[in-house]
Amino acid sequence: MTTSGVATLGGGCFWCLEAVYEQMRGVVSVESGYSGGRTDDPSYESVCSGVTGHAEVVQVRFDPSVAGYRDVLEVFFGIHDPTTKDRQGSDIGTQYRSAIFTHGEEQASTARELIAHLEAEGVFADPIVTEVQPLERFWPAEDYHRRYYRRNPAQPYCVMVVGPKVGRFRERFGRLLRDPGELSPGG
């Protein structure tokens, strides 16, 4: 698959983003990880400390013939608050910032155009603070983060935070919802 079929996004806790994108039509795989910082081979603990500069991100691989990069970004802006700097709900810190790490100038242009469109339409009451910057490196998260929501749906954070975001995606983006019989990424 070409780089046009990869998006790297930070929008708060990566468990939320992963759970949503696993349900999106055209998504081939979703991997949680870290990007945008200055520390090599970061761990969850070091990223949570706020000293690495990394954001929690997901790397979404998608089939552009089914769902395009703009579709991936529209979902991204529809499921998190891009107007709060270094915060998503009660998750506070630079690791929870809203960020789009682009894979080339075409993605950067698409991201900036969509942000300008959302601003012009007044979709959000406050200005969008989402960073748009080239991806330098993606560091995969530890194995225990993979498919976290699917494995832990009754965990309190999943019930109170992840579940509602998944519900919002299902409600707002029905046209992009995976068919019931279609396998999600990771089986």
Side-chain angles (χ1 to χ4, degrees):
M1 182 175 294
T2 67
T3 57
S4 65
V6 180
T8 304
L9 308 166
C13 176
F14 47 36
W15 298 340
C16 295
L17 295 176
E18 179 190 67
V20 166
Y21 284 111
E22 283 183 334
Q23 296 191 23
M24 184 175 167
R25 175 178 289 143
V27 169
V28 176
S29 68
V30 185
E31 184 171 19
S32 293
Y34 316 105
S35 285
R38 58 196 166 277
T39 302
D40 287 346
D41 200 24
S43 67
Y44 182 67
E45 290 74 23
S46 68
V47 170
C48 286
S49 75
V51 300
T52 67
H54 286 291
E56 288 190 21
V57 300
V58 290
Q59 195 157 78
V60 180
R61 295 193 179 276
F62 59 96
D63 179 347
S65 70
V66 178
Y69 183 65
R70 186 171 172 114
D71 293 320
V72 171
L73 291 183
E74 286 175 359
V75 168
F76 173 71
F77 283 109
I79 61 168
H80 87 292
D81 182 353
T83 69
T84 54
K85 184 165 175 52
D86 300 336
R87 177 182 195 144
Q88 286 299 302
S90 60
D91 292 333
I92 301 170
T94 58
Q95 67 271 27
Y96 301 116
R97 68 187 180 270
S98 178
I100 300 170
F101 296 97
T102 59
H103 297 252
E105 189 49 44
E106 185 177 338
Q107 284 192 358
S109 178
T110 300
R112 288 187 191 100
E113 287 170 9
L114 180 56
I115 290 170
H117 171 76
L118 294 171
E119 291 277 9
E121 293 292 315
V123 172
F124 299 99
D126 296 312
I128 294 173
V129 298
T130 304
E131 299 173 6
V132 177
Q133 63 188 57
L135 177 72
E136 290 183 19
R137 177 98 191 246
F138 171 80
W139 300 93
E142 297 81 355
D143 285 344
Y144 68 91
H145 293 293
R146 298 189 202 306
R147 294 178 291 286
Y148 191 85
Y149 178 68
R150 200 178 331 167
R151 292 183 296 103
N152 300 284
Q155 192 260 11
Y157 185 89
C158 290
V159 170
M160 295 183 325
V161 179
V162 183
K165 286 191 181 201
V166 170
R168 193 171 324 132
F169 164 73
R170 296 176 69 81
E171 186 178 294
R172 294 180 67 190
F173 296 97
R175 68 182 175 81
L176 295 172
L177 190 60
R178 218 175 256 292
D179 291 330
E182 186 181 357
L183 279 179
S184 62

